[in-house]
């Protein structure tokens, strides 16, 4: 399977009080750390969806405008699927949020392993003690359902995933710690 990587960076960062994508952790912007993990997985291309392209220019990744800014991660996933489907270069997209300061390629590898040879599933989603819908591998074949659900007003990724054949894959919980508030960075 040919896989691309996408970092969602279009959120408002209200709880953080500033753009989460650019907050540095150990000298690297959180979104750059997520891009690093995707590159280490050797997925390509790797890009950012959403956010201000000028602000995100230093990330060394193309920034794709969100088709539905302010409409949540379902719109970001749909943007990623639409953008990459037009290239005919990939079959699936690993989508991650920009606020995972501890994510690693090793933590994500089980998701790719689970997808190998699986022709039935359309989403392979990370799970810790619960499903982690913001960390998932999406087949381009999921596009129609994602589009239908989005058009019907659905904005919750877990409910979109429930409409598709999917597999949950246990991953390291510590690697998926997200930073939504300033205290989460301590």
């Amino acid at each position: 399977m040919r896989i691309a990587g996408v970092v969602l960076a279009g959120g408002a960062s209200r709880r953080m009080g500033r753009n989460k994508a650019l907050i540095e952790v150990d000298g690297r912007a959180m979104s750059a750390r997520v891009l690093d993990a995707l590159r280490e997985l050797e997925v390509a291309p790797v890009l950012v969806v959403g956010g201000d392209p000028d602000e995100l220019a230093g990330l060394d990744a193309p920034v794709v405008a969100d088709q539905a800014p302010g409409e949540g991660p379902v719109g970001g996933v749909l943007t990623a699927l639409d953008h990459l489907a037009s290239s005919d270069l990939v079959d699936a997209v690993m989508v991650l949020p920009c606020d995972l300061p501890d994510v690693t390629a090793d933590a994500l590898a089980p998701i790719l392993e689970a997808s190998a040879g699986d022709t039935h599933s359309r989403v392979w989603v990370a799970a810790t003690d619960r499903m982690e819908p913001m960390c998932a591998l999406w087949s381009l074949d999921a596009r129609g359902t994602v589009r239908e659900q989005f058009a019907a007003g659905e904005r919750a990724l877990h409910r979109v995933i429930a409409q598709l054949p999917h597999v949950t894959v246990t991953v390291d919980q510590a690697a998926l710690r997200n930073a939504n508030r300033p205290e989460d960075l301590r």
Side-chain angles (χ1 to χ4, degrees):
M1 186 178 328
R2 302 168 302 165
I3 299 171
V6 167
V7 176
L8 297 180
S13 300
R14 281 184 284 278
R15 290 177 284 176
M16 185 62 76
R18 59 188 173 120
N19 188 344
K20 289 191 291 187
L22 299 175
I23 292 175
E24 289 193 5
V25 174
D26 295 331
R28 296 272 295 150
M30 279 198 290
S31 51
R33 296 169 71 84
V34 178
L35 288 164
D36 291 345
L38 288 168
R39 288 184 181 115
E40 191 176 329
L41 276 177
E42 299 181 0
V43 299
V46 176
L47 49 98
V48 177
V49 167
D52 181 329
D54 292 333
E55 282 186 356
L56 301 173
L59 293 178
D60 192 31
V63 178
V64 175
D66 194 334
Q67 295 173 148
E71 292 293 322
V74 177
V77 169
L78 183 57
T79 298
L81 294 172
D82 283 347
H83 179 78
L84 289 157
S86 68
S87 72
D88 197 35
L89 297 175
V90 301
D91 305 303
V93 184
M94 175 72 82
V95 179
L96 302 169
C98 67
D99 61 357
L100 300 176
D102 302 322
V103 72
T104 64
D106 287 343
L108 300 173
I111 298 170
L112 297 185
E113 292 164 9
S115 72
D118 180 349
T119 58
H120 174 71
S121 299
R122 297 295 172 256
V123 185
W124 298 265
V125 61
T128 55
D129 56 340
R130 61 184 172 86
M131 182 190 290
E132 301 285 352
M134 289 289 293
C135 180
L137 177 63
W138 295 79
S139 167
L140 292 185
D141 293 337
R143 252 172 80 204
T145 300
V146 175
R147 182 179 319 291
E148 290 167 7
Q149 292 292 302
F150 187 79
E154 185 56 70
R155 297 300 183 262
L157 277 176
H158 70 278
R159 287 196 287 267
V160 173
I161 291 169
Q163 299 301 311
L164 291 155
H166 66 278
V167 172
T168 57
V169 181
T170 301
V171 298
D172 177 19
Q173 185 169 2
L176 293 190
R177 175 184 74 88
N178 66 347
N180 287 313
R181 301 172 307 254
E183 55 268 23
D184 295 337
L185 294 169
R186 296 187 190 116

